Amino acid sequence: SFFLDDTILNNIIFSFEENPLYNTKKLKKIISITNFDRVFEESKINLKTKIKNNAESLSNGQRQRLALCRALYQNAKILILDEATNSLDINSELKIIKEIKKFFPKIIIVNVSHRDNLKKISDEIIIIKNKRLIKKK
């Protein structure tokens, strides 16, 4: 993901305005779904925190949550997650994906991962082995 040299808020809503208009209720829900609210509580960052150099001041997990917030705020119809939550612990990853599926039931999630923990909540699993697709489930 690419991040603007701007506030966390503007990186989520993807605005270049100094005082942008945005849907507060939607933003709060998305921040909750991705557990970014917990990050705010546990660290010195908040929506007004300015980031730069592609968010180098954020941890990998925080960048992954920020990217998910942006995609959800922009009403993505398809999320292609290529190891997109691999910096999160397994329980956080599972919780976030469950929450996304719950609050965005029409969204299509394509999750590329080496982890097996999301199998139980996946509708379809495709395994690639020796450059061949093996469809399961």
Side-chain angles (χ1 to χ4, degrees), residues 8 12 27-47 58-66 69 85 87-97 99:
I8 289 178
I12 293 172
L27 181 67
K28 283 182 181 181
K29 187 65 189 168
I30 289 167
I31 288 171
S32 175
I33 288 169
T34 60
N35 287 331
F36 214 13
D37 53 350
R38 196 181 87 222
V39 172
F40 292 159
E41 292 168 8
E42 296 173 355
S43 68
K44 296 178 182 179
I45 65 172
N46 58 51
L47 287 173
L58 302 181
S59 71
N60 287 335
Q62 291 168 342
R63 283 194 294 270
Q64 289 177 338
R65 291 175 200 274
L66 180 55
C69 284
T85 51
S87 291
L88 305 177
D89 65 85
I90 290 172
N91 291 330
S92 294
E93 176 184 49
L94 188 60
K95 183 180 181 219
I96 288 170
I97 298 301
E99 289 290 297

mmCIF file of all heavy atoms in Angstrom, residues 8 12 27-47 58-66 69 85 87-97 99:
data_model
loop_
_atom_site.group_PDB
_atom_site.id
_atom_site.type_symbol
_atom_site.label_atom_id
_atom_site.label_comp_id
_atom_site.label_asym_id
_atom_site.label_seq_id
_atom_site.Cartn_x
_atom_site.Cartn_y
_atom_site.Cartn_z
ATOM 1 N N ILE A 8 -3.313 10.539 9.339
ATOM 2 C CA ILE A 8 -3.919 9.214 9.239
ATOM 3 C C ILE A 8 -5.337 9.342 8.697
ATOM 4 O O ILE A 8 -5.755 8.559 7.844
ATOM 5 C CB ILE A 8 -3.881 8.499 10.606
ATOM 6 C CG1 ILE A 8 -2.431 8.103 10.912
ATOM 7 C CG2 ILE A 8 -4.809 7.296 10.627
ATOM 8 C CD1 ILE A 8 -2.208 7.443 12.244
ATOM 9 N N ILE A 12 -6.939 7.563 5.318
ATOM 10 C CA ILE A 12 -8.099 6.666 5.296
ATOM 11 C C ILE A 12 -9.129 7.153 4.288
ATOM 12 O O ILE A 12 -9.589 6.387 3.437
ATOM 13 C CB ILE A 12 -8.740 6.542 6.698
ATOM 14 C CG1 ILE A 12 -7.792 5.831 7.652
ATOM 15 C CG2 ILE A 12 -10.084 5.795 6.602
ATOM 16 C CD1 ILE A 12 -8.264 5.829 9.098
ATOM 17 N N LEU A 27 -16.583 6.143 9.508
ATOM 18 C CA LEU A 27 -15.168 6.110 9.868
ATOM 19 C C LEU A 27 -14.960 5.409 11.207
ATOM 20 O O LEU A 27 -14.087 4.540 11.333
ATOM 21 C CB LEU A 27 -14.595 7.529 9.911
ATOM 22 C CG LEU A 27 -13.118 7.640 10.257
ATOM 23 C CD1 LEU A 27 -12.263 7.031 9.156
ATOM 24 C CD2 LEU A 27 -12.741 9.098 10.486
ATOM 25 N N LYS A 28 -15.761 5.758 12.204
ATOM 26 C CA LYS A 28 -15.642 5.132 13.522
ATOM 27 C C LYS A 28 -15.885 3.627 13.438
ATOM 28 O O LYS A 28 -15.199 2.843 14.097
ATOM 29 C CB LYS A 28 -16.629 5.756 14.503
ATOM 30 C CG LYS A 28 -16.202 7.100 15.021
ATOM 31 C CD LYS A 28 -17.186 7.644 16.030
ATOM 32 C CE LYS A 28 -16.741 9.011 16.526
ATOM 33 N NZ LYS A 28 -17.650 9.560 17.528
ATOM 34 N N LYS A 29 -16.862 3.213 12.644
ATOM 35 C CA LYS A 29 -17.165 1.789 12.509
ATOM 36 C C LYS A 29 -15.988 1.050 11.875
ATOM 37 O O LYS A 29 -15.593 -0.023 12.336
ATOM 38 C CB LYS A 29 -18.438 1.594 11.665
ATOM 39 C CG LYS A 29 -18.895 0.174 11.639
ATOM 40 C CD LYS A 29 -19.315 -0.232 13.027
ATOM 41 C CE LYS A 29 -19.580 -1.694 13.150
ATOM 42 N NZ LYS A 29 -19.703 -2.105 14.550
ATOM 43 N N ILE A 30 -15.417 1.613 10.837
ATOM 44 C CA ILE A 30 -14.298 0.978 10.137
ATOM 45 C C ILE A 30 -13.068 0.906 11.045
ATOM 46 O O ILE A 30 -12.366 -0.109 11.071
ATOM 47 C CB ILE A 30 -14.004 1.725 8.819
ATOM 48 C CG1 ILE A 30 -15.136 1.443 7.825
ATOM 49 C CG2 ILE A 30 -12.650 1.346 8.245
ATOM 50 C CD1 ILE A 30 -15.156 2.333 6.620
ATOM 51 N N ILE A 31 -12.834 1.948 11.805
ATOM 52 C CA ILE A 31 -11.705 1.945 12.739
ATOM 53 C C ILE A 31 -11.914 0.867 13.801
ATOM 54 O O ILE A 31 -10.974 0.186 14.205
ATOM 55 C CB ILE A 31 -11.521 3.353 13.356
ATOM 56 C CG1 ILE A 31 -10.952 4.299 12.294
ATOM 57 C CG2 ILE A 31 -10.623 3.311 14.586
ATOM 58 C CD1 ILE A 31 -10.911 5.757 12.703
ATOM 59 N N SER A 32 -13.146 0.673 14.214
ATOM 60 C CA SER A 32 -13.463 -0.373 15.180
ATOM 61 C C SER A 32 -13.295 -1.768 14.566
ATOM 62 O O SER A 32 -12.717 -2.667 15.186
ATOM 63 C CB SER A 32 -14.892 -0.185 15.682
ATOM 64 O OG SER A 32 -15.270 -1.239 16.514
ATOM 65 N N ILE A 33 -13.795 -1.957 13.355
ATOM 66 C CA ILE A 33 -13.704 -3.247 12.675
ATOM 67 C C ILE A 33 -12.254 -3.705 12.544
ATOM 68 O O ILE A 33 -11.935 -4.874 12.739
ATOM 69 C CB ILE A 33 -14.370 -3.178 11.278
ATOM 70 C CG1 ILE A 33 -15.890 -3.109 11.425
ATOM 71 C CG2 ILE A 33 -13.967 -4.360 10.392
ATOM 72 C CD1 ILE A 33 -16.618 -2.777 10.138
ATOM 73 N N THR A 34 -11.365 -2.778 12.230
ATOM 74 C CA THR A 34 -9.954 -3.118 12.008
ATOM 75 C C THR A 34 -9.129 -3.073 13.294
ATOM 76 O O THR A 34 -7.912 -3.272 13.249
ATOM 77 C CB THR A 34 -9.323 -2.162 10.979
ATOM 78 O OG1 THR A 34 -9.412 -0.829 11.477
ATOM 79 C CG2 THR A 34 -9.993 -2.294 9.628
ATOM 80 N N ASN A 35 -9.782 -2.801 14.409
ATOM 81 C CA ASN A 35 -9.115 -2.664 15.703
ATOM 82 C C ASN A 35 -8.089 -1.542 15.718
ATOM 83 O O ASN A 35 -7.174 -1.535 16.537
ATOM 84 C CB ASN A 35 -8.448 -3.979 16.132
ATOM 85 C CG ASN A 35 -9.439 -5.019 16.566
ATOM 86 O OD1 ASN A 35 -10.509 -4.702 17.059
ATOM 87 N ND2 ASN A 35 -9.088 -6.270 16.370
ATOM 88 N N PHE A 36 -8.233 -0.595 14.817
ATOM 89 C CA PHE A 36 -7.328 0.553 14.804
ATOM 90 C C PHE A 36 -7.603 1.440 16.030
ATOM 91 O O PHE A 36 -6.714 2.132 16.510
ATOM 92 C CB PHE A 36 -7.479 1.335 13.501
ATOM 93 C CG PHE A 36 -6.211 1.959 12.980
ATOM 94 C CD1 PHE A 36 -4.967 1.621 13.474
ATOM 95 C CD2 PHE A 36 -6.271 2.898 11.974
ATOM 96 C CE1 PHE A 36 -3.802 2.198 12.986
ATOM 97 C CE2 PHE A 36 -5.122 3.496 11.469
ATOM 98 C CZ PHE A 36 -3.881 3.136 11.980
ATOM 99 N N ASP A 37 -8.826 1.376 16.544
ATOM 100 C CA ASP A 37 -9.154 2.131 17.754
ATOM 101 C C ASP A 37 -8.296 1.672 18.929
ATOM 102 O O ASP A 37 -7.859 2.468 19.754
ATOM 103 C CB ASP A 37 -10.642 2.045 18.082
ATOM 104 C CG ASP A 37 -11.192 0.632 18.168
ATOM 105 O OD1 ASP A 37 -10.483 -0.330 17.799
ATOM 106 O OD2 ASP A 37 -12.348 0.473 18.594
ATOM 107 N N ARG A 38 -8.016 0.383 18.990
ATOM 108 C CA ARG A 38 -7.142 -0.155 20.034
ATOM 109 C C ARG A 38 -5.720 0.383 19.889
ATOM 110 O O ARG A 38 -5.054 0.695 20.865
ATOM 111 C CB ARG A 38 -7.143 -1.684 19.994
ATOM 112 C CG ARG A 38 -6.574 -2.302 21.265
ATOM 113 C CD ARG A 38 -6.543 -3.813 21.213
ATOM 114 N NE ARG A 38 -5.278 -4.168 20.578
ATOM 115 C CZ ARG A 38 -5.144 -5.121 19.670
ATOM 116 N NH1 ARG A 38 -6.176 -5.814 19.272
ATOM 117 N NH2 ARG A 38 -3.973 -5.387 19.154
ATOM 118 N N VAL A 39 -5.266 0.502 18.639
ATOM 119 C CA VAL A 39 -3.941 1.069 18.370
ATOM 120 C C VAL A 39 -3.892 2.505 18.890
ATOM 121 O O VAL A 39 -2.915 2.912 19.525
ATOM 122 C CB VAL A 39 -3.609 1.020 16.859
ATOM 123 C CG1 VAL A 39 -2.337 1.786 16.546
ATOM 124 C CG2 VAL A 39 -3.504 -0.423 16.380
ATOM 125 N N PHE A 40 -4.947 3.270 18.636
ATOM 126 C CA PHE A 40 -4.996 4.655 19.111
ATOM 127 C C PHE A 40 -4.918 4.714 20.635
ATOM 128 O O PHE A 40 -4.223 5.555 21.194
ATOM 129 C CB PHE A 40 -6.271 5.358 18.637
ATOM 130 C CG PHE A 40 -6.334 5.603 17.154
ATOM 131 C CD1 PHE A 40 -7.547 5.817 16.545
ATOM 132 C CD2 PHE A 40 -5.194 5.622 16.361
ATOM 133 C CE1 PHE A 40 -7.642 6.069 15.169
ATOM 134 C CE2 PHE A 40 -5.263 5.867 14.993
ATOM 135 C CZ PHE A 40 -6.493 6.087 14.405
ATOM 136 N N GLU A 41 -5.633 3.811 21.299
ATOM 137 C CA GLU A 41 -5.643 3.789 22.763
ATOM 138 C C GLU A 41 -4.275 3.424 23.341
ATOM 139 O O GLU A 41 -3.877 3.934 24.379
ATOM 140 C CB GLU A 41 -6.682 2.786 23.275
ATOM 141 C CG GLU A 41 -8.110 3.182 23.012
ATOM 142 C CD GLU A 41 -9.093 2.052 23.274
ATOM 143 O OE1 GLU A 41 -8.694 0.998 23.809
ATOM 144 O OE2 GLU A 41 -10.279 2.231 22.922
ATOM 145 N N GLU A 42 -3.565 2.527 22.663
ATOM 146 C CA GLU A 42 -2.308 1.993 23.193
ATOM 147 C C GLU A 42 -1.066 2.766 22.753
ATOM 148 O O GLU A 42 0.023 2.466 23.203
ATOM 149 C CB GLU A 42 -2.161 0.527 22.775
ATOM 150 C CG GLU A 42 -3.229 -0.378 23.367
ATOM 151 C CD GLU A 42 -3.188 -1.793 22.813
ATOM 152 O OE1 GLU A 42 -2.384 -2.064 21.895
ATOM 153 O OE2 GLU A 42 -3.968 -2.637 23.305
ATOM 154 N N SER A 43 -1.231 3.731 21.864
ATOM 155 C CA SER A 43 -0.058 4.444 21.348
ATOM 156 C C SER A 43 -0.306 5.949 21.384
ATOM 157 O O SER A 43 -1.342 6.409 21.845
ATOM 158 C CB SER A 43 0.244 3.993 19.923
ATOM 159 O OG SER A 43 -0.786 4.421 19.047
ATOM 160 N N LYS A 44 0.634 6.679 20.869
ATOM 161 C CA LYS A 44 0.531 8.145 20.845
ATOM 162 C C LYS A 44 -0.036 8.656 19.527
ATOM 163 O O LYS A 44 0.016 9.842 19.244
ATOM 164 C CB LYS A 44 1.908 8.763 21.080
ATOM 165 C CG LYS A 44 2.457 8.450 22.441
ATOM 166 C CD LYS A 44 3.828 9.037 22.616
ATOM 167 C CE LYS A 44 4.370 8.673 23.978
ATOM 168 N NZ LYS A 44 5.711 9.202 24.196
ATOM 169 N N ILE A 45 -0.572 7.766 18.708
ATOM 170 C CA ILE A 45 -1.102 8.203 17.417
ATOM 171 C C ILE A 45 -2.616 8.359 17.479
ATOM 172 O O ILE A 45 -3.286 7.756 18.315
ATOM 173 C CB ILE A 45 -0.687 7.264 16.262
ATOM 174 C CG1 ILE A 45 -1.298 5.869 16.438
ATOM 175 C CG2 ILE A 45 0.822 7.194 16.132
ATOM 176 C CD1 ILE A 45 -1.083 4.966 15.250
ATOM 177 N N ASN A 46 -3.132 9.173 16.574
ATOM 178 C CA ASN A 46 -4.575 9.356 16.432
ATOM 179 C C ASN A 46 -4.853 9.788 14.992
ATOM 180 O O ASN A 46 -3.939 9.810 14.166
ATOM 181 C CB ASN A 46 -5.111 10.362 17.451
ATOM 182 C CG ASN A 46 -4.447 11.711 17.327
ATOM 183 O OD1 ASN A 46 -4.360 12.293 16.246
ATOM 184 N ND2 ASN A 46 -3.955 12.230 18.446
ATOM 185 N N LEU A 47 -6.080 10.136 14.695
ATOM 186 C CA LEU A 47 -6.443 10.500 13.321
ATOM 187 C C LEU A 47 -5.702 11.731 12.822
ATOM 188 O O LEU A 47 -5.492 11.886 11.624
ATOM 189 C CB LEU A 47 -7.954 10.725 13.211
ATOM 190 C CG LEU A 47 -8.817 9.473 13.272
ATOM 191 C CD1 LEU A 47 -10.291 9.846 13.329
ATOM 192 C CD2 LEU A 47 -8.539 8.566 12.085
ATOM 193 N N LEU A 58 4.947 4.022 11.366
ATOM 194 C CA LEU A 58 3.971 3.031 11.831
ATOM 195 C C LEU A 58 4.561 1.631 11.734
ATOM 196 O O LEU A 58 5.384 1.354 10.861
ATOM 197 C CB LEU A 58 2.687 3.103 11.006
ATOM 198 C CG LEU A 58 1.935 4.428 10.971
ATOM 199 C CD1 LEU A 58 0.684 4.298 10.118
ATOM 200 C CD2 LEU A 58 1.590 4.915 12.366
ATOM 201 N N SER A 59 4.100 0.747 12.602
ATOM 202 C CA SER A 59 4.530 -0.657 12.511
ATOM 203 C C SER A 59 3.874 -1.293 11.290
ATOM 204 O O SER A 59 2.920 -0.747 10.724
ATOM 205 C CB SER A 59 4.118 -1.412 13.777
ATOM 206 O OG SER A 59 2.711 -1.595 13.806
ATOM 207 N N ASN A 60 4.344 -2.466 10.918
ATOM 208 C CA ASN A 60 3.737 -3.172 9.778
ATOM 209 C C ASN A 60 2.263 -3.459 10.038
ATOM 210 O O ASN A 60 1.426 -3.303 9.153
ATOM 211 C CB ASN A 60 4.486 -4.470 9.494
ATOM 212 C CG ASN A 60 5.833 -4.235 8.860
ATOM 213 O OD1 ASN A 60 6.063 -3.209 8.223
ATOM 214 N ND2 ASN A 60 6.744 -5.177 9.029
ATOM 215 N N GLY A 61 1.926 -3.872 11.243
ATOM 216 C CA GLY A 61 0.530 -4.148 11.581
ATOM 217 C C GLY A 61 -0.325 -2.898 11.509
ATOM 218 O O GLY A 61 -1.465 -2.946 11.042
ATOM 219 N N GLN A 62 0.212 -1.763 11.960
ATOM 220 C CA GLN A 62 -0.527 -0.503 11.886
ATOM 221 C C GLN A 62 -0.729 -0.078 10.438
ATOM 222 O O GLN A 62 -1.805 0.391 10.072
ATOM 223 C CB GLN A 62 0.209 0.583 12.668
ATOM 224 C CG GLN A 62 0.189 0.365 14.162
ATOM 225 C CD GLN A 62 1.143 1.262 14.914
ATOM 226 O OE1 GLN A 62 2.071 1.841 14.355
ATOM 227 N NE2 GLN A 62 0.933 1.367 16.222
ATOM 228 N N ARG A 63 0.271 -0.275 9.601
ATOM 229 C CA ARG A 63 0.118 0.049 8.170
ATOM 230 C C ARG A 63 -0.939 -0.848 7.532
ATOM 231 O O ARG A 63 -1.729 -0.400 6.704
ATOM 232 C CB ARG A 63 1.458 -0.073 7.450
ATOM 233 C CG ARG A 63 2.378 1.086 7.701
ATOM 234 C CD ARG A 63 3.548 1.137 6.725
ATOM 235 N NE ARG A 63 4.473 0.035 6.865
ATOM 236 C CZ ARG A 63 5.536 0.031 7.671
ATOM 237 N NH1 ARG A 63 5.790 1.071 8.431
ATOM 238 N NH2 ARG A 63 6.325 -1.011 7.721
ATOM 239 N N GLN A 64 -0.944 -2.126 7.921
ATOM 240 C CA GLN A 64 -1.937 -3.038 7.363
ATOM 241 C C GLN A 64 -3.347 -2.632 7.782
ATOM 242 O O GLN A 64 -4.270 -2.647 6.967
ATOM 243 C CB GLN A 64 -1.630 -4.479 7.782
ATOM 244 C CG GLN A 64 -0.402 -5.023 7.079
ATOM 245 C CD GLN A 64 -0.022 -6.416 7.519
ATOM 246 O OE1 GLN A 64 -0.368 -6.882 8.598
ATOM 247 N NE2 GLN A 64 0.717 -7.106 6.650
ATOM 248 N N ARG A 65 -3.525 -2.243 9.014
ATOM 249 C CA ARG A 65 -4.835 -1.779 9.481
ATOM 250 C C ARG A 65 -5.249 -0.496 8.746
ATOM 251 O O ARG A 65 -6.402 -0.340 8.357
ATOM 252 C CB ARG A 65 -4.805 -1.516 10.982
ATOM 253 C CG ARG A 65 -4.671 -2.756 11.829
ATOM 254 C CD ARG A 65 -4.514 -2.380 13.305
ATOM 255 N NE ARG A 65 -3.938 -3.424 14.094
ATOM 256 C CZ ARG A 65 -4.606 -4.418 14.666
ATOM 257 N NH1 ARG A 65 -5.907 -4.489 14.507
ATOM 258 N NH2 ARG A 65 -3.996 -5.323 15.381
ATOM 259 N N LEU A 66 -4.291 0.406 8.557
ATOM 260 C CA LEU A 66 -4.568 1.658 7.849
ATOM 261 C C LEU A 66 -5.009 1.383 6.411
ATOM 262 O O LEU A 66 -5.978 1.970 5.929
ATOM 263 C CB LEU A 66 -3.332 2.562 7.882
ATOM 264 C CG LEU A 66 -3.425 3.917 7.201
ATOM 265 C CD1 LEU A 66 -4.591 4.749 7.711
ATOM 266 C CD2 LEU A 66 -2.108 4.679 7.384
ATOM 267 N N CYS A 69 -8.514 0.057 6.495
ATOM 268 C CA CYS A 69 -9.458 1.161 6.757
ATOM 269 C C CYS A 69 -9.757 1.918 5.472
ATOM 270 O O CYS A 69 -10.910 2.221 5.172
ATOM 271 C CB CYS A 69 -8.886 2.128 7.793
ATOM 272 S SG CYS A 69 -8.948 1.557 9.494
ATOM 273 N N THR A 85 -2.567 -9.255 6.236
ATOM 274 C CA THR A 85 -2.700 -9.225 7.685
ATOM 275 C C THR A 85 -1.635 -10.092 8.358
ATOM 276 O O THR A 85 -1.761 -10.453 9.517
ATOM 277 C CB THR A 85 -4.109 -9.695 8.106
ATOM 278 O OG1 THR A 85 -4.400 -10.944 7.474
ATOM 279 C CG2 THR A 85 -5.177 -8.690 7.727
ATOM 280 N N SER A 87 1.206 -9.367 9.503
ATOM 281 C CA SER A 87 1.912 -8.737 10.625
ATOM 282 C C SER A 87 1.050 -8.669 11.879
ATOM 283 O O SER A 87 1.500 -8.196 12.918
ATOM 284 C CB SER A 87 2.375 -7.332 10.236
ATOM 285 O OG SER A 87 3.400 -7.406 9.279
ATOM 286 N N LEU A 88 -0.174 -9.138 11.764
ATOM 287 C CA LEU A 88 -1.068 -9.186 12.922
ATOM 288 C C LEU A 88 -1.014 -10.579 13.528
ATOM 289 O O LEU A 88 -0.733 -11.562 12.830
ATOM 290 C CB LEU A 88 -2.505 -8.874 12.506
ATOM 291 C CG LEU A 88 -2.751 -7.557 11.770
ATOM 292 C CD1 LEU A 88 -4.205 -7.459 11.367
ATOM 293 C CD2 LEU A 88 -2.334 -6.374 12.621
ATOM 294 N N ASP A 89 -1.314 -10.671 14.805
ATOM 295 C CA ASP A 89 -1.375 -12.005 15.400
ATOM 296 C C ASP A 89 -2.596 -12.729 14.828
ATOM 297 O O ASP A 89 -3.518 -12.115 14.293
ATOM 298 C CB ASP A 89 -1.420 -11.926 16.934
ATOM 299 C CG ASP A 89 -2.675 -11.260 17.446
ATOM 300 O OD1 ASP A 89 -3.693 -11.958 17.585
ATOM 301 O OD2 ASP A 89 -2.636 -10.036 17.697
ATOM 302 N N ILE A 90 -2.584 -14.035 14.939
ATOM 303 C CA ILE A 90 -3.614 -14.874 14.313
ATOM 304 C C ILE A 90 -5.021 -14.528 14.808
ATOM 305 O O ILE A 90 -5.961 -14.465 14.023
ATOM 306 C CB ILE A 90 -3.297 -16.372 14.529
ATOM 307 C CG1 ILE A 90 -2.060 -16.750 13.697
ATOM 308 C CG2 ILE A 90 -4.466 -17.253 14.170
ATOM 309 C CD1 ILE A 90 -1.520 -18.133 13.963
ATOM 310 N N ASN A 91 -5.178 -14.280 16.098
ATOM 311 C CA ASN A 91 -6.505 -13.948 16.640
ATOM 312 C C ASN A 91 -7.009 -12.613 16.105
ATOM 313 O O ASN A 91 -8.192 -12.482 15.778
ATOM 314 C CB ASN A 91 -6.472 -13.936 18.170
ATOM 315 C CG ASN A 91 -6.276 -15.319 18.742
ATOM 316 O OD1 ASN A 91 -6.681 -16.314 18.159
ATOM 317 N ND2 ASN A 91 -5.632 -15.398 19.901
ATOM 318 N N SER A 92 -6.127 -11.614 16.021
ATOM 319 C CA SER A 92 -6.530 -10.304 15.480
ATOM 320 C C SER A 92 -6.922 -10.431 14.015
ATOM 321 O O SER A 92 -7.926 -9.859 13.583
ATOM 322 C CB SER A 92 -5.387 -9.292 15.613
ATOM 323 O OG SER A 92 -5.133 -9.018 16.966
ATOM 324 N N GLU A 93 -6.139 -11.179 13.259
ATOM 325 C CA GLU A 93 -6.426 -11.383 11.842
ATOM 326 C C GLU A 93 -7.807 -12.016 11.663
ATOM 327 O O GLU A 93 -8.627 -11.530 10.880
ATOM 328 C CB GLU A 93 -5.347 -12.278 11.227
ATOM 329 C CG GLU A 93 -5.588 -12.631 9.778
ATOM 330 C CD GLU A 93 -4.537 -13.587 9.244
ATOM 331 O OE1 GLU A 93 -4.254 -14.610 9.900
ATOM 332 O OE2 GLU A 93 -4.006 -13.306 8.164
ATOM 333 N N LEU A 94 -8.071 -13.058 12.404
ATOM 334 C CA LEU A 94 -9.347 -13.760 12.313
ATOM 335 C C LEU A 94 -10.507 -12.847 12.700
ATOM 336 O O LEU A 94 -11.529 -12.781 12.013
ATOM 337 C CB LEU A 94 -9.324 -15.011 13.198
ATOM 338 C CG LEU A 94 -10.486 -15.974 13.086
ATOM 339 C CD1 LEU A 94 -10.621 -16.532 11.683
ATOM 340 C CD2 LEU A 94 -10.312 -17.108 14.085
ATOM 341 N N LYS A 95 -10.343 -12.097 13.788
ATOM 342 C CA LYS A 95 -11.388 -11.191 14.255
ATOM 343 C C LYS A 95 -11.691 -10.120 13.210
ATOM 344 O O LYS A 95 -12.857 -9.824 12.920
ATOM 345 C CB LYS A 95 -10.975 -10.540 15.570
ATOM 346 C CG LYS A 95 -12.035 -9.636 16.143
ATOM 347 C CD LYS A 95 -11.609 -9.004 17.454
ATOM 348 C CE LYS A 95 -12.747 -8.146 17.958
ATOM 349 N NZ LYS A 95 -12.359 -6.935 18.560
ATOM 350 N N ILE A 96 -10.665 -9.534 12.629
ATOM 351 C CA ILE A 96 -10.858 -8.469 11.644
ATOM 352 C C ILE A 96 -11.569 -8.993 10.399
ATOM 353 O O ILE A 96 -12.522 -8.377 9.917
ATOM 354 C CB ILE A 96 -9.508 -7.811 11.277
ATOM 355 C CG1 ILE A 96 -9.019 -6.966 12.464
ATOM 356 C CG2 ILE A 96 -9.632 -6.958 10.012
ATOM 357 C CD1 ILE A 96 -7.593 -6.462 12.314
ATOM 358 N N ILE A 97 -11.153 -10.131 9.904
ATOM 359 C CA ILE A 97 -11.799 -10.691 8.704
ATOM 360 C C ILE A 97 -13.258 -11.048 9.007
ATOM 361 O O ILE A 97 -14.151 -10.783 8.194
ATOM 362 C CB ILE A 97 -11.018 -11.903 8.163
ATOM 363 C CG1 ILE A 97 -9.602 -11.492 7.730
ATOM 364 C CG2 ILE A 97 -11.769 -12.555 6.996
ATOM 365 C CD1 ILE A 97 -9.520 -10.430 6.650
ATOM 366 N N GLU A 99 -15.199 -9.582 11.192
ATOM 367 C CA GLU A 99 -15.913 -8.302 11.296
ATOM 368 C C GLU A 99 -16.173 -7.708 9.911
ATOM 369 O O GLU A 99 -17.251 -7.177 9.654
ATOM 370 C CB GLU A 99 -15.121 -7.315 12.157
ATOM 371 C CG GLU A 99 -15.094 -7.663 13.629
ATOM 372 C CD GLU A 99 -16.444 -7.477 14.292
ATOM 373 O OE1 GLU A 99 -16.936 -6.335 14.340
ATOM 374 O OE2 GLU A 99 -17.007 -8.489 14.768
#
